[in-house]
Amino acid sequence: MKRSPSHVVVPNQEAHETEAAMKRKLEEVSETCPNPETKADFLRQMNQFSDMFSMYVNQTSKPIEWEKINRPPPGMILRHKDIQKELPPEQIQQLLNKLVVLKLNGGLGTSMGCTGPKSAIEVHSGFSFLDLTVRQIEHLNKQYNANVPLVLMNSFNTDTETDKILHKYKNSQVKILTFNQNRFPRIYKETLQPACTEYDGDLGEWYPPGHGDVYQAFYSSPIFKQLRAEGKEYVFFSNIDNLGATVDADILNHMVESEAEFIMEVTDKTRSDVKGGTLIEYEQNGVSVTKLLEIAQVPPNRVDEFKSIKKFKIFNTNNMWVKMSAIEDKVQSGVLNTMDIIVNLKEYNGRQVVQLERAAGAAIEYFQGSIGVNVPRSRFLPVKSTSDLFVVQSDIYKLSSASLSMNPKRPFNTIPLVKLGTSFKNVSSYQKRFSSIPSILELDHLTVSGDVTFGSNVTLAGTVIIVANHGERIDIPSGSILENKVVSGNLRILDH
């Protein structure tokens, strides 16, 4: 996959013709919609797509000018500990009753070899991402006698399966609502024509346009007005695979007291986070604005500087708090249609296609009083691979009230660096290679490559490297204790 900032793809004199041709094709597709309601919704979505497509072919989105970038000034990023207060339960209850929790649930588990929504993958103690999310909010509502609803933003890839899964929570004390993010057509790179020819064609002709779609899609859904009518004023949204993204009353309280329309949670960057987007102050039209800088926007000769943890010390966790009335205002004004575009190049049926996407954090520059809050690393616990899954399933984390926290028995508060090889990439293969997850309370670094299996009750500590060369196999015996060890060659335990 290749991502790059938007750029000129056609000469300016051809841009108008290119847009007109796209509009004609999409109007043809609209005629294949099964009913008038579907057609009206399709045309609404295509209007939003057309705005992005116009920016793409006209190069409306200007590239970042590196010399206009400044580090965040004092006050742009607050420390979490500086906004913490001893809030009485009654005040927390009042705050929570104004809150909506929205989880971005549009992704599939394909990167981990699973079909269906990623949120259905079991991650700890037999619970899935979705199980833990529902239980967290259930516990919160019970603890404070509150009524925080859970909203899931699905994509066309996850909607049907998610609806089936939600039946298991029918007796839950949490109100669960869903809506779909937009469905945009992929664009053939060489012709700039849509890959789709009819509404119900191959799903590979379409794509969900990234989590930056959350503002328009949420506002356009019927549940937005429903929640506003119920007195909801704030929304906390995050990726559903971030197990650390739980409701934080201190951040919500600060948002109310400061009247900020937008708060982005950031955390300190480590060497494993060098590609994460960062907050900057940017000189734009003679005014300094708060802006999210993504690696896709960085000039090639500045990438190493962007990755430096000395200059850019924090990164975006994609945990964001937004005032709902401000979302309504920004969507209605159309200002979010000018958000920076990320060009994502993919392949479909042997041809290169373009996906135009946006990052949710890029909206920060459009909201009044926007700030970042530097939160503890514990609020950023994503599971993007089986290596991440190995860590969260281990004894490093304890489960309490459906939330994961670091085991107090771990002698240091850092997370070990774990790199499992391609033999572990799929969840099914990963599960077959462990009789039980090893104890890693004192592990710093683990690298496993090749055909390797683990027995039960294995302990790993310090730096452990296990490499089975091609054609070899290594079985780590049950009860093994490996501390600062390199294991290579061929080690196989046979039954007798």
Side-chain angles (χ1 to χ4, degrees), residues 157-433:
N157 288 320
T158 62
D159 182 53
T160 301
E161 286 301 313
T162 298
D163 279 348
K164 293 177 183 177
I165 293 168
L166 290 180
H167 287 300
K168 70 191 285 190
Y169 309 116
K170 61 183 178 181
N171 296 321
S172 168
Q173 299 305 303
V174 178
K175 178 191 230 177
I176 304 176
L177 303 168
T178 67
F179 70 96
N180 273 18
Q181 70 175 118
N182 290 317
R183 187 183 80 154
F184 286 176
R186 284 174 157 174
I187 308 160
Y188 286 124
K189 188 173 185 294
E190 73 276 14
T191 65
L192 296 180
Q193 290 293 294
C196 60
T197 56
E198 55 185 48
Y199 179 82
D200 284 324
D202 182 48
L203 290 181
E205 298 169 349
W206 307 86
Y207 71 98
H211 44 66
D213 187 42
V214 64
Y215 308 103
Q216 286 97 334
F218 185 32
Y219 175 71
S220 298
S221 71
I223 64 174
F224 186 91
K225 289 182 180 178
Q226 174 189 334
L227 292 167
R228 293 290 285 134
E230 293 172 2
K232 304 304 179 185
E233 298 180 30
Y234 303 93
V235 59
F236 168 49
F237 65 81
S238 61
N239 297 333
I240 199 161
D241 65 0
N242 180 4
L243 295 172
T246 56
V247 172
D248 187 296
D250 289 310
I251 297 178
L252 178 57
N253 180 64
H254 182 78
M255 187 169 206
V256 174
E257 290 186 345
S258 67
E259 298 184 346
E261 291 183 349
F262 191 109
I263 292 180
M264 175 188 291
E265 293 186 37
V266 299
T267 196
D268 292 341
K269 185 187 288 189
T270 68
R271 297 191 186 282
S272 60
D273 311 308
V274 293
K275 294 183 179 180
T278 190
L279 282 183
I280 59 171
E281 183 183 63
Y282 189 70
E283 297 173 25
Q284 190 166 282
N285 299 323
V287 179
S288 294
V289 298
T290 301
K291 194 175 183 72
L292 178 69
L293 177 64
E294 297 276 10
I295 192 169
Q297 299 169 293
V298 176
N301 64 330
R302 297 287 188 172
V303 169
D304 288 342
E305 188 177 347
F306 174 82
K307 290 181 178 180
S308 168
I309 61 176
K310 293 181 180 179
K311 181 168 184 176
F312 299 106
K313 300 179 184 297
I314 53 90
F315 72 98
N316 171 28
T317 65
N318 220 42
N319 301 344
M320 297 176 212
W321 304 73
V322 192
K323 194 171 183 179
M324 292 179 69
S325 61
I327 292 177
E328 181 173 1
D329 176 61
K330 305 309 176 191
V331 173
Q332 286 186 345
S333 72
V335 68
L336 296 182
N337 294 337
T338 64
M339 284 169 61
D340 291 334
I341 294 173
I342 295 173
V343 179
N344 191 351
L345 299 181
K346 295 271 193 175
E347 190 173 286
Y348 172 66
N349 282 347
R351 298 173 66 181
Q352 268 206 319
V353 290
V354 172
Q355 297 182 178
L356 303 178
E357 304 176 6
R358 287 184 167 124
I364 190 170
E365 64 186 88
Y366 300 100
F367 290 87
Q368 298 300 311
S370 297
I371 59 167
V373 173
N374 193 337
V375 297
R377 182 74 185 206
S378 58
R379 291 190 58 76
F380 183 67
L381 189 56
V383 179
K384 304 295 185 184
S385 65
T386 51
S387 296
D388 297 333
L389 186 62
F390 172 84
V391 174
V392 300
Q393 289 184 335
S394 74
D395 54 357
I396 278 185
Y397 289 102
K398 306 288 282 185
L399 187 65
S400 176
S401 303
S403 296
L404 292 182
S405 59
M406 190 167 286
N407 192 330
K409 293 181 180 179
R410 181 161 171 83
F412 16 81
N413 60 7
T414 56
I415 300 171
L417 181 61
V418 174
K419 296 180 180 178
L420 301 180
T422 54
S423 297
F424 293 79
K425 183 176 181 179
N426 295 338
V427 171
S428 58
S429 301
Y430 160 87
Q431 291 172 335
K432 292 174 183 176
R433 292 183 177 277

Side-chain angles (χ1 to χ4, degrees), residues 6-183:
S6 56
H7 55 279
V8 175
V9 293
V10 292
N12 287 339
Q13 63 269 23
E14 295 181 19
H16 180 73
E17 294 177 11
T18 302
E19 289 183 68
M22 174 65 76
K23 184 178 180 180
R24 286 194 298 272
K25 287 288 186 180
L26 295 178
E27 286 175 349
E28 291 173 8
V29 175
S30 74
E31 295 302 319
T32 68
C33 291
N35 55 61
E37 293 78 14
T38 301
K39 181 178 180 179
D41 186 60
F42 175 79
L43 290 175
R44 175 192 62 78
Q45 294 184 54
M46 291 309 98
N47 283 337
Q48 292 184 25
F49 168 78
S50 295
D51 287 338
M52 293 179 73
F53 185 68
S54 178
M55 288 182 68
Y56 177 56
V57 298
N58 288 287
Q59 199 195 3
T60 309
S61 183
K62 296 180 180 179
I64 289 290
E65 297 179 54
W66 198 258
E67 63 276 8
K68 293 184 178 181
I69 291 175
N70 297 307
R71 294 181 182 181
M76 182 187 289
I77 300 176
L78 307 179
R79 295 184 302 178
H80 184 263
K81 65 180 182 180
D82 291 340
I83 65 171
Q84 289 179 304
K85 292 185 177 181
E86 288 290 334
L87 300 174
E90 299 80 13
Q91 186 176 352
I92 295 177
Q93 179 195 43
Q94 291 174 1
L95 289 168
L96 293 178
N97 282 334
K98 298 177 181 179
L99 182 67
V100 174
V101 172
L102 192 159
K103 294 290 184 179
L104 308 177
N105 186 48
L108 296 170
T110 49
S111 64
M112 296 167 67
C114 296
T115 57
K118 186 177 182 180
S119 57
I121 297 175
E122 290 187 4
V123 284
H124 199 287
S125 304
F127 296 120
S128 68
F129 292 106
L130 193 52
D131 292 335
L132 292 175
T133 299
V134 172
R135 286 170 174 263
Q136 286 166 8
I137 300 177
E138 199 166 40
H139 173 76
L140 191 72
N141 284 340
K142 183 177 180 181
Q143 182 178 3
Y144 293 102
N145 191 28
N147 183 27
V148 177
L150 170 63
V151 175
L152 300 176
M153 183 175 84
N154 300 330
S155 69
F156 65 89
N157 288 320
T158 62
D159 182 53
T160 301
E161 286 301 313
T162 298
D163 279 348
K164 293 177 183 177
I165 293 168
L166 290 180
H167 287 300
K168 70 191 285 190
Y169 309 116
K170 61 183 178 181
N171 296 321
S172 168
Q173 299 305 303
V174 178
K175 178 191 230 177
I176 304 176
L177 303 168
T178 67
F179 70 96
N180 273 18
Q181 70 175 118
N182 290 317
R183 187 183 80 154

